[in-house]
Amino acid sequence: MEGKILKTLEFHKIKERLAARAATSLGKSRAEALAPSADLEQVKKRLKATDEAAAVDRLKGPAPFGGIRDVRAPLRRAELGGVLNPNELLDIANTMQGGRRLRRFLELAAEDHAIPLLSDLAELISEDRKTEESILRCIDEAAFVVDSASPELNRIRQELRTGESRVREKLDQMIRTPSVQKMLQENLVTIRGDRYVIPVKAEYRSHFGGIVHDQSASGATMYIEPEAVVQMNNRLRELKMKEEREVDKILQMLTALVAEDVPALSANLEILAELDFIFAKAYLAREMKATLPMMNDRGFLKIKKGRHPLLNPGAVVPLELELGNHYSAIIVTGPNTGGKTVSLKTVGLLSLMAMSGLFVPAEDGSQLCVFDGIYADIGDEQSIEQNLSTFSSHMTNIISILRGMTPKSLVLLDEVGAGTDPAEGSALAISILDYIHSMGSRLIATTHYSELKAYAYDKKGVINASMEFDINTLSPTYRLLVGIPGRSNAFAIAERLGLPKRIIDHARGQVTEEDQRVETMIATLEENRLTAEAERETAEGLRREAETAKRKLEEERRRFEEERGKLLAKAEQDAAAAVAKARREADEVIAELRRLSMEGVRVKEHELIDARRRLDEAVPELAPKRSAAPAKKTRPIEPGDEVMVASFGQKGTVVDIGAEEATVQLGILKMKVPVKELELVKAAAAKAKQPAPQATSTVKRTRDENARLELDLRGHNIEEAIIEVDRFLDESFLANFPQVYLIHGKGTGALRVGIQDYLRRHRHVKSYRIGAYNEGGTGVTVVELK
């Protein structure tokens, strides 16, 4: 796709918005390099990945990309034998840790929702912790090599601290001496050039032995290292050089570990960049309220309520358009300011977005095509000049389009043939459109020329379209009407604005009879369209009401079936328990008979076996028999009677009864049952009064599988953060989490202080602390819940 076309359709602005949604510089680079693809399978795969990320974002929240950095340059330097500094090593460790965290997140998400593409990418993230743990063991979160990095470094630093303490003690004793104090500018110990010195007045320089390391700007103060501490300072200098050599040694060791893992780490970075890019597409789709389009490669477009993504969603008028089925070219006619150019750009930009794997701001069910090229000649028609240079510019673009297009291309032409004599321009426009149509390319063109209305009417596969204009308000509605050519509306507008009727009638007389018939035909078509749309909206409302009623009925039937199944299951359980009890009692009787037989009572064994067989055969069927006929009733059943429903095996109370059916209350359900399946149990007058069952409820705190263990507050102010923290702690408490993490970042520390002050008073908080170095350090607060 040519860069000029992408710029004309403003695809670069979509990429800028996409890059802004990426969490890492790796993802931003991918977004900035995004380009449409002409491969249908590749486009479908891109859209599928975006769809999976959107599902994860909807069900589990934003993916965790914290800590991931672009460490490709340090990795290359390590591979070439260079030594990495502590900051670079810490970034590498944090990136490895962030990759592992992201993999766990996607694995958990895959348990609740199928995300095959994202799962495959997550599985490729390597989890070798040796290098990561070695770096974090030696370097703290402030990128400082810790004492415990090696025994030698620990020994050197202990000796260094001891030596520094001794030097300070020696100098403190000296400055407290009265004879020395009068020679000092200030009674303090300071450092110059890594050596401890004291500030001496310049006039006492000759009375004070030692080495001068610096002097004040005025020259009144000399910073002198007394002879008494020169050797001690020398020793400290030696220890500092040893410390530097040991630190270099540790950094070389860690760099060597990184160098061994460069292939795996580089592969991880590519995967993390791709995942960040995919989730950025999902976040952009959520922001634009975009949907997943269906894709094809047969030149078919069906845009349902499509919106230009760069316009205000509340003000833009949705676009309805179909192209490539019954007709392959649309000719949009009508005056300026009606929205023709915006419609062209909307079709082109939505096509580019879909071919790039992005969701499009349109309704579900929209279809877009993978074109091998999209060509556009869209100029600025707001200029009052239409001279030769403008015409030449348009022609140059059109000639380039004609050379590059194929039958699988989409061509968008704005004001084709404009900028020259109307007669010649319309003839040239018809010829150009005819050529493009004959090539089989999909075409949408706008024009002022009325001659093209007849061309679109007569040409097979070409259809007229126009932008709707409200005569009552004298303003465009910006709706594209496919199938209706544009009207000039000049006479109607002039009449409404107050032009004398005599002048308007005279003007109408100047219009040819054929043109008047065309205008009358267009007006009739528009009137019929408005009537059809009103009827369609009425039918649509009735259809929605019918669907709502159907859904309610389906839901009631489902609840009924569930309740019926529960009742049947309970009946079977009760029957099974009764049978089991009967068998136990029978076994006890038989065992007693055998005992009596052994004691001398004459009971034959075959009689015992026969008795057991008869007991087994007497076990009742557990499944309800609907065909079982009820026993004869002693009198007709009346409302209020307690009855047995033979088809369900359950007792109930008759609420109402007719000739063939009765309404029976079975527990919480009312059911219509044939009268012949009812058996009288108790008459209404003789039925004992039963206390009304008391409704009880149980509240049980369970863990919500969608709840999160961490809340990212970076970028929020304190007031916003406290609102989010309060909601998050309530959800975590209900989810029964013992501990959660609040990510506020390091920064100035104001957000951390504000959050911790709020935690001190929160009803669900048992305690809180700053995170450990492997939990995020001072950028994270760990909260223990009650």
Side-chain angles (χ1 to χ4, degrees), residues 155-171:
R155 184 192 64 78
I156 292 172
R157 285 184 174 168
Q158 284 184 354
E159 188 176 347
L160 191 59
R161 282 190 286 270
T162 301
E164 289 174 344
S165 178
R166 289 175 179 171
V167 171
R168 281 187 169 276
E169 288 178 3
K170 184 71 173 176
L171 292 176

Side-chain angles (χ1 to χ4, degrees), residues 317-335:
V317 176
L319 172 70
E320 294 277 351
L321 181 141
E322 183 174 321
L323 177 67
N325 192 5
H326 300 295
Y327 42 84
S328 61
I330 298 176
I331 309 300
V332 186
T333 54

Side-chain angles (χ1 to χ4, degrees), residues 8-9 75 127 143 181 271 344 401 420 468 667 729 735-736 765 776:
T8 299
L9 296 176
L75 291 180
E127 293 195 62
Q181 284 182 347
I271 297 167
L344 279 185
I401 291 172
T420 188
E468 187 179 54
L729 292 178
N736 208 19
V765 175

Side-chain angles (χ1 to χ4, degrees), residues 662-708:
T663 302
V664 181
Q665 182 80 38
L666 292 174
I668 64 172
L669 294 178
K670 285 184 179 180
M671 301 182 60
K672 290 188 179 296
V673 182
V675 174
K676 63 182 181 179
E677 294 190 6
L678 303 180
E679 179 182 353
L680 182 63
V681 176
K682 283 186 181 180
K687 187 170 65 172
K689 292 185 178 180
Q690 299 291 337
Q694 297 296 319
T696 61
S697 62
T698 302
V699 178
K700 183 178 181 183
R701 192 171 73 167
T702 59
R703 178 166 293 182
D704 181 3
E705 294 181 354
N706 293 331
R708 298 168 291 161

Side-chain angles (χ1 to χ4, degrees), residues 53-64 105 109 279 283 286 706 708:
V56 172
D57 178 50
R58 185 174 62 253
L59 297 173
K60 297 293 184 182
F105 173 82
F279 274 96
Y283 301 153
R286 180 185 61 192
N706 293 331
R708 298 168 291 161

Side-chain angles (χ1 to χ4, degrees), residues 525-546:
L525 285 173
E526 192 164 352
E527 182 179 348
N528 292 338
R529 178 190 62 80
L530 293 174
T531 303
E533 281 193 358
E535 292 176 353
R536 182 183 61 80
E537 289 178 1
T538 302
E540 184 70 19
L542 293 174
R543 183 186 65 80
R544 286 194 296 268
E545 290 178 4

Side-chain angles (χ1 to χ4, degrees), residues 405-427:
M405 70 181 191
T406 71
K408 291 187 177 182
S409 299
L410 173 65
V411 180
L412 306 172
L413 301 179
D414 189 27
E415 300 300 346
V416 59
T420 188
D421 177 74
E424 294 181 355
S426 61

